[in-house]
Amino acid sequence: MAAPNVRSSSFSRNVAVVSSPQIPGLKCGPNGTTFISTGIRDLDRILGGGYPLGSLVMVMEDPEAPHHMDLLRTFMSQGLVNNQPLLYASASKDPKGFLGTLPNPGSSKEDKPTAPDLDQAESLRIAWQYRKYMENQKNSIDDYSNDFDMRKPLERQFLAGRPIDCVSLLDSSDLSVAQDHCATFLSKFLRNSSNIASIGRIAIQSFCSPLCEYSEKESEMLLFIRLLKSMLMVSNAVAIVTFPPSMLSPSTSKRLQHMADTLLSIKAIPDGDKELEKLLTGYKDINGFLNVHKVARINTQVPVILEAKTFSMSLKKRRFVALECLNQAPVDGSSGTSYGTSGSCSGSSNSGALDF
Amino acid sequence: MDRSLNLLDLALGFDQEQADASPLSGKLVLIEDCVETSGSFVLHQLMKRVLSPHSSEALIFLAFARPFSHYDRILRKLGCSLSTQKANNRLVFFDMLLMKCSGVEETKENASAVAKLFREIQETVRKLCSVANSNVTVMVDDMSLQEIASTGNSNQDHVLDFLHYCHTLTSESNCSLVILNHEDIYTSMERPAFLLQMVCLADVVIKAEPLASGLANDVHGQLSVLNKGISSNSGRGSSRNKLQNFQFRIKDNGIDYFYPGCRS
């Protein structure tokens, strides 16, 4: 077998994103990093390829919007489809039950004939993608990421016999159980050579949920995240942790944000908001907003500056998660500039939460 | 110095001709940043300066945030090989990523761990000073993570003690101390003792902030440098207590600094 294309040795070319055919679900990134897919193609594109191995992804939840679950679900499903071991922890009594809600891979392209309401630009884009698909038949893109049909539960074949570890955060009074699980899980993916044998994915949902007994001990939570981050740095794994910032003291929340390599946040979209409806095209289809606060920069000091920080989350054909830059409808004067949404307090005092 | 100095160098006083000592020796430099704008690039730049072939200074680096490979790769792009410097005994790298994995429970353990760390640093400083007779710079890449690491039981004093101990090194052995911390963690606190103490002790405060107008591709943020500069070894005794503001753009092989609106 040829040597894998994935290099983590110190001397590597600054290659553009190239998919590595040896191990499905991996992509070489710049500066010797390796990406795995987020499970949402648009998010992969926004983040420059996906989540880099060894990074900690934090998602700030909005109490009014459940879309952080979509990020978790696609992340987990993508891992299972690519046959990557998974560790899932949540504050529910039965974390295994969540696996039943994972989406199944589907193809948003094949549905094309059945979706007559596509506008022209959309079909053009799809046709272009389809042509690309034809060009490399044994398509490597599909090894890397899939589209997930949020309405179809993940098929049994992806769940049965797969190494999935589910942990309930409710059971223990402190985080030592979760910590042990993470440590044993990550010890299987230690980064010791340039060869990457397997990739681990960790998903922790509602980390600071008030249901957990440790929710009062913020320093313990910080310690846990710091330890997780340290362990990740030497592993071929990615952890995604969602937490509700409103449940934490502001300084602890900031500390968590600092520790994140990639920091995302979810915002609910106010229902029937006339002003916003005027402002945004496609307001009816938008389910929520995704803010990208930080993009992981591993092995480099150059920050990633995105075109936009706020993206609208919608379900394309009611099935596939799509992220788009906000399209501002033409408005007159400055009526739009004074408007802003902030997750916790829905007043209009905070301008600049949306950027176009 | 043959190389052209950038605005940050000027603000730090690298333009003043001095016999052998760096303008930062015996000083505490505090770098403050926030979630939106990381200040780690200042650290990289100072690392490069300390380890430059023209000087004989040595560096002790306490890495709480990132592993060695990360810094190695960044510094190599800046034209400085950390591995070589390590072999030359000019760099001592403390990997603190997994500090305090065990013994989180007991406060006594924590206290001793911090004390132990300081003793190690002190020992290393002594060794470096005796061998090369050079200035030693101690860098901490993320003080807030050290806080988390050593305050398992919400006892913040240990890190503050550590800071004070390290501060004694600046006067005792004429070390420089460079510390990165995150300012926005403390903004919500009523009396952020830790931050205030640090700002009070610091001789130079470098603050990295995002632009008020939002993110831009060609300007990555702004830097304000407060140089309290009452050092006695500046020769002229000029008190250069001044605040300077400029903007920066980070690149892989260096950083562009420019005054607002003067980008060439």
Side-chain angles (χ1 to χ4, degrees), chain A residues 9-10 31 219 222-223 226-227 230 233 250-251 254-255 258-259 261 297 299-303 305 309, chain B residues 34-35 38 44 65-67 70 73 76-77 96-97 99 101 104 144 147 152 182 184-185 250-252:
Chain A
S9 82
S10 45
N31 304 311
S219 62
L222 288 171
L223 265 177
R226 174 176 179 269
L227 192 68
S230 307
M233 270 189 247
S251 76
K254 277 282 180 216
R255 278 181 201 272
H258 271 290
M259 278 193 270
D261 288 305
R297 47 171 155 172
N299 295 340
T300 180
Q301 60 176 353
V302 182
I305 307 290
K309 278 166 72 183
Chain B
C34 50
V35 174
S38 165
H44 304 147
R66 295 278 177 195
H70 174 83
R73 208 174 258 273
R76 200 179 305 139
K77 277 183 195 151
M96 309 302 298
L97 290 180
M99 179 200 184
C101 294
V104 180
S144 72
E147 240 184 312
H182 307 304
D184 48 358
I185 290 173
I250 306 170
K251 296 184 296 188
D252 260 330

Side-chain angles (χ1 to χ4, degrees), chain A residues 69-81:
Chain A
M69 308 284 267
D70 289 348
L71 294 181
L72 280 175
R73 283 193 184 111
T74 50
F75 174 78
M76 291 163 72
S77 278
Q78 184 68 63
L80 292 174
V81 166

Side-chain angles (χ1 to χ4, degrees), chain A residues 173-247:
Chain A
S173 59
D174 58 4
L175 280 158
S176 57
V177 175
Q179 199 167 305
D180 292 344
H181 273 276
C182 287
T184 41
F185 182 79
L186 286 175
S187 64
K188 287 179 254 171
F189 309 103
L190 276 185
R191 191 181 301 172
N192 40 18
S193 67
S194 55
N195 286 4
I196 298 177
S198 61
I199 311 297
R201 291 185 184 227
I202 297 180
I204 302 177
Q205 186 205 329
S206 300
F207 173 61
C208 312
S209 159
L211 298 172
C212 305
E213 281 183 50
Y214 58 78
S215 63
E216 294 297 308
K217 306 172 193 159
E218 295 193 339
S219 62
E220 237 173 75
M221 293 195 267
L222 288 171
L223 265 177
F224 172 79
I225 293 292
R226 174 176 179 269
L227 192 68
L228 180 65
K229 183 180 158 80
S230 307
M231 290 191 293
L232 278 170
M233 270 189 247
V234 292
S235 320
N236 289 316
V238 172
I240 175 165
V241 179
T242 72
F243 70 100
S246 48
M247 299 288 173

